[in-house]
Amino acid sequence: MLAELIIGAIKAIIVLLMVLNLSAILLWFERKGSALIQDRVGANRAAIVGVGRRLGLPNLGFVNTLMADPLKLFTKEDFVPAGADRFLHALAPFLAMFPVLITFAVVPFGDTLIIGDRSINLQAANLNVAALYILATIGLGVYGVSLGGWASNNRWALLGGIRATAQMISYELAMGLAIVSMVMTYGTLDLQLMCREQGGVWFGFLPRWGIFVQPLAFLLLLTAGMAESKRVPFDLPEGESELIAGYFTEYSGGKQAVFMLVDFAEIVLVSALVTTFFFGGWQFPWLYPDGFHLPGGAFFHLPNLAVAIIQIITFTLKVVAFCWLQILLRWTLPRFRYDQLMRLGWKGLLPLGLLNVAVTACVIVFGGV
Amino acid sequence: MPLWLFIFLAALAIIGAAGVVLQRHPVHSLLSLVMTLVVIAVLFIGLGAATVGFLQMIVYAGAIMVLFLFVIWLLNLQSQPLEPGHLALKFLGSLGSAALIAELLLFVVHPPPAITQNRAVAMDFGSIGRLAQSLFTDYLIAFEATSVLLLVGVIGGVALARRTTAGGGGAPGGTP
Amino acid sequence: MAPPSYYMILSAVLFCIGVSGVLLRRNVLIIFMSIELMLNAVNLAFVSLSRAWGSVDGQSIVFFVMTVAAAEAAVGLGIILATFRNRATVNADEINLMRW
């Protein structure tokens, strides 16, 4: 009992630290990425007391974004505007952060790891209704931004909060429908079982990933996910030219850092969900629990520990790849207009999602899959 | 669910519920209600009804309450002092609550034998499969009727909230 | 283990707080929220009895209550908006045109 508890706590802490670290590194990733796209050098200041430069190493600005930025933000004055609701103003960033972080509890990052006679499921919480859990936590994420906007006692902030809320609940529908069609495809709501379903290959070379079965659902989930994370093609809630900074206009210091971190944690979340549902999660092609079964009939035996490590690394790399894709999109696409945003959500994605669910149901019932 | 956890959650639920009635600002009332709803969802999950618990979070906390929040913002409601109650209401309320407390005390001292113990249930109790079996066999007609109800609700909501252009009460210059 | 009777008591307490909200407050929105609270108290009773008797029926009823609550919220908030547009108030005592 106690051992179970300790293992559970370790898994939860590892997941939490991975997510927070990845979100922080994404901050640097985004600066360098945007510089690459816009043909600039990008973040290149703040070397560690000039050591790197003295040794002739290229300064990548890593220290800048990972240490100087948070130091700067957390040493700034934490300003609360007059007439603001002090309690909710302080609560809002964490209300936005909490649902995003707990969603990672059901994302599997590997198959079973066997230590001694104990087999550990590499997933922080094994829930048999995980898909519903994801929708529930994402639904709760609305409160953080909306209350952040309202509690600031600022019109731009309130407008940003209202826009963010409207946008998030509109795109949640498309996201829910995409997840429903995946649930129908795999016949389970358990994310770990979904990942196991995606093992193996078709025709000897095509991995049995969800993207090849449900390409439309993949597009829906990615689009809706990007809208949920409120970044550039969908950044109406914080459109700088109209609303200053939207719902976090009146935030400064540490609380604003938390709001920024939420944005990046949401990118990681969308990547993790897309990976789990459509790209096999921790599945590495031709890797089975006992080792590699290559197409030519070759077989390399691997111990369980090595398999687990390869799976974890595979999952992380897939997630990082989708984070990069989202950063690319963010720096490539222009912003929607508000009516275009709503039209895309309600007249584009929602009917497509319903159609996808209906077609999936027909294939399951009549095709006997 | 262990007793201490139940007592903790029950206390949270009651604090939230009291907040709905006692908070002066509608947004604060709403947040208290959201807290109570989430705690009730957690209680559902603790009772083995995981599907219904998460549905409660999605439908109530994630959708209905957001709708309330929108309406509060739309009407721009501000803090209001609590109204003093009418004398007759106070009298009736005291009578009612006294009766209720007596009944609850009786319930604590002598709970009906049917509900002193939980029956043993199968592992998949409260899973989405069991719920679906019940919904699509015993309650099929009711289930189909709710879909009609939702459709009527959508149409009714749109019809009521729409601004009528001909003479109605639309605020000047406010056609969406 | 908390016995089912405790859940029933919690449910009764929550229901009564909801009733008191309807009786004490005159803001239509808060009255509406109190009604939602009462519905949820009843839901809690249904689910705890469903667990006590080992039958899923209670959970099915909760599912229906949720759908009805969703429809009710859509229509009810629509009515509140329409009333506010005509009378510019959300105080239940001032909405008295149909009263005699």
Side-chain angles (χ1 to χ4, degrees), chain A residues 111-280:
Chain A
D111 203 354
T112 321
L113 174 68
I114 296 165
I115 296 178
D117 55 351
R118 189 182 290 281
S119 63
I120 301 168
N121 185 17
L122 291 180
Q123 184 185 18
N126 187 15
L127 221 61
N128 60 3
V129 284
L132 279 181
Y133 171 84
I134 290 173
L135 290 176
T137 50
I138 290 176
L140 291 183
V142 173
Y143 288 102
V145 288
S146 57
L147 290 173
W150 178 76
S152 302
N153 191 29
N154 176 322
R155 280 178 195 141
W156 309 123
L158 180 60
L159 276 176
I162 291 175
R163 280 187 179 187
T165 318
Q167 176 176 330
M168 286 171 88
I169 56 175
S170 306
Y171 280 82
E172 240 164 56
L173 294 171
M175 191 179 227
L177 286 172
I179 291 180
V180 163
S181 51
M182 291 325 281
V183 167
M184 287 162 78
T185 311
Y186 297 125
T188 175
L189 286 101
D190 188 334
L191 263 54
Q192 183 68 277
L193 291 181
M194 281 188 191
C195 281
R196 290 201 185 120
E197 283 272 308
Q198 298 180 62
V201 283
W202 281 308
F203 318 121
F205 68 96
L206 199 62
R208 295 170 61 105
W209 289 350
I211 172 97
F212 302 116
V213 193
Q214 294 272 17
L216 185 59
F218 161 67
L219 285 179
L220 284 175
L221 187 65
L222 188 65
T223 318
M226 288 190 69
E228 291 280 318
S229 67
K230 303 177 287 293
R231 282 160 56 80
V232 153
F234 303 101
D235 78 331
L236 277 302
E238 50 199 80
E240 290 89 350
S241 44
E242 307 158 27
L243 296 180
I244 308 172
Y247 53 88
F248 57 83
T249 302
E250 293 289 0
Y251 279 89
S252 57
K255 292 181 202 160
Q256 204 232 335
V258 174
F259 264 130
M260 279 169 69
L261 201 60
V262 174
D263 267 14
F264 286 100
E266 272 173 344
I267 297 176
V268 182
L269 176 63
V270 173
S271 310
L273 291 185
V274 166
T275 308
T276 311
F277 282 117
F278 298 99
F279 285 85

Side-chain angles (χ1 to χ4, degrees), chain A residues 85 88 133 143 150 165 189, chain B residues 25 28 31 54 61 65 73 128:
Chain A
D85 189 320
L88 289 183
Y133 171 84
Y143 288 102
W150 178 76
T165 318
L189 286 101
Chain B
H25 200 290
H28 292 169
L31 280 182
F54 287 123
M65 287 301 121
W73 281 338
I128 201 160

Side-chain angles (χ1 to χ4, degrees), chain B residues 23-80:
Chain B
Q23 292 280 1
R24 299 219 164 90
H25 200 290
V27 170
H28 292 169
S29 285
L30 183 127
L31 280 182
S32 309
L33 185 54
V34 170
M35 182 170 98
T36 308
L37 294 178
V38 172
V39 170
I40 288 178
V42 174
L43 284 172
F44 285 2
I45 296 162
L47 282 165
T51 310
V52 177
F54 287 123
L55 280 180
Q56 159 108 357
M57 268 196 217
I58 298 171
V59 174
Y60 262 117
I64 297 182
M65 287 301 121
V66 178
L67 204 59
F68 272 83
L69 198 60
F70 262 108
V71 172
I72 293 174
W73 281 338
L74 203 57
L75 305 186
N76 193 17
L77 297 183
Q78 300 301 327
S79 260
Q80 307 164 312

Side-chain angles (χ1 to χ4, degrees), chain A residues 335-365:
Chain A
R335 186 191 299 154
F336 279 109
R337 217 170 52 217
Y338 196 70
D339 59 326
Q340 292 171 331
L341 174 93
M342 282 293 147
R343 193 174 305 143
L344 177 69
W346 288 98
K347 295 186 180 167
L349 297 188
L350 183 63
L352 275 181
L354 285 171
L355 186 73
N356 198 32
V357 169
V359 169
T360 311
C362 286
V363 169
I364 289 172
V365 172

